Amino acid sequence: MPKSAAEKAAEAERVQQVQQRLAAAKVTRDQRKADAEFDFWADVAAAIDNGEVKQTEACDAIGFKREYVRRQLIEHRAQAAARAATDTPDSTD
């Protein structure tokens, strides 16, 4: 038996709500992944910057090539600076 217009509308509404929930879950997942990646490279940078390990020793520990780590640390430092700039209140307000 075919669905009535009201049933079709209810089904469409239900599907739309689920799609919105899933889209929001994906945004949350992506943010958590980005935060975890940022935290990982912060730990690597801190270990190298504090002199705990040399960059090559850090590379051995994490299993990445030196050039990749170098590029990631450059990107991480840029992200850290950008985060710091957005977290700092503007004194001209």
Side-chain angles (χ1 to χ4, degrees):
M1 185 154 121
K3 293 182 180 180
S4 70
E7 289 173 326
K8 287 179 183 178
E11 178 70 11
E13 177 66 24
R14 185 192 63 75
V15 169
Q16 184 178 19
Q17 288 175 352
V18 172
Q19 288 174 327
Q20 289 172 347
R21 188 183 80 232
L22 293 176
K26 182 179 183 295
V27 168
T28 300
R29 182 209 59 176
D30 291 346
Q31 185 60 50
R32 287 180 180 166
K33 286 172 72 174
D35 289 345
E37 189 74 7
F38 181 86
D39 292 345
F40 171 74
W41 289 110
D43 288 345
V44 172
I48 293 169
D49 294 345
N50 294 335
E52 295 176 82
V53 291
K54 295 177 185 171
Q55 185 174 337
T56 54
E57 295 166 334
C59 293
D60 290 342
I62 61 177
F64 293 127
K65 299 223 183 257
R66 189 170 177 270
E67 181 60 22
Y68 178 75
V69 170
R70 185 186 72 78
R71 284 185 277 124
Q72 290 303 114
L73 291 176
I74 290 169
E75 184 177 322
H76 167 74
R77 289 183 174 109
Q79 288 177 359
R83 285 185 180 197
T86 60
D87 291 344
T88 305
D90 188 3
S91 61
T92 59
D93 287 341

